[in-house]
Amino acid sequence: MAFYEGSVMRIEIGGKKILHEQDATLNVSSDFKEIASKDTNGVETSPGKKSWSLSSNAYAANSPTTNNGIKDISEAWQSQALVDIKFTDGVGGNMVYQGQAYIESFSIKATTDEAVTFDYSLKGNGELTIALNS
């Protein structure tokens, strides 16, 4: 059995990886409608709307690069731009999650004698596609 390798599972925004990403989390959920009547025993549920989000943290770097960094995240949040995202390890036959999202929030942490880090979250807009890398 082969396991997914966490160190290569990355978030991509607009086709570019996040520079110096430390971790990433995909959250998916469904709303449920409760149905109860005189003819049911207890409460029955029925799935409703789906939602999803991504979050991550990374080291902040101030250098030109082909990857996304804190500047790109800040600009996408400022402009309220809808961005294309992927969450994948890029390995053929492995899972890839993709869709469109907004930068929901970001924060920057500057601690004495440590590298600056930033956290950010993406709020999914519409469907999250789940497929296999080709």
Side-chain angles (χ1 to χ4, degrees):
M1 173 188 306
F3 295 98
Y4 286 89
E5 176 57 46
S7 62
V8 294
M9 194 81 168
R10 307 282 300 266
I11 294 175
E12 295 179 12
I13 297 176
K16 298 185 326 184
K17 294 176 183 170
I18 304 301
L19 184 64
H20 300 301
E21 185 178 77
Q22 295 175 313
D23 63 53
T25 303
L26 171 65
N27 291 298
V28 297
S29 65
S30 296
D31 292 335
F32 283 85
K33 301 170 192 169
E34 291 188 358
I35 302 166
S37 73
K38 294 178 183 178
D39 298 314
T40 60
N41 186 12
V43 175
E44 296 181 8
T45 58
S46 176
K49 296 177 184 176
K50 299 176 192 174
S51 62
W52 59 275
S53 63
L54 276 163
S55 60
S56 180
N57 62 51
Y59 289 107
N62 186 17
S63 61
T65 180
T66 58
N67 294 322
N68 284 311
I70 187 59
K71 179 179 181 292
D72 304 289
I73 299 293
S74 301
E75 289 172 349
W77 174 82
Q78 183 71 32
S79 68
Q80 297 184 322
L82 190 60
V83 295
D84 294 323
I85 66 91
K86 279 187 183 180
F87 186 45
T88 182
D89 63 4
V91 175
N94 283 355
M95 300 297 293
V96 59
Y97 301 86
Q98 53 192 0
Q100 293 189 311
Y102 290 100
I103 306 297
E104 181 176 33
S105 65
F106 72 92
S107 62
I108 301 170
K109 183 176 181 182
T111 303
T112 301
D113 296 329
E114 293 187 20
V116 174
T117 59
F118 67 97
D119 300 322
Y120 67 95
S121 63
L122 298 153
K123 180 70 173 169
N125 187 59
E127 185 177 4
L128 177 67
T129 303
I130 304 169
L132 298 178
N133 284 312
S134 51

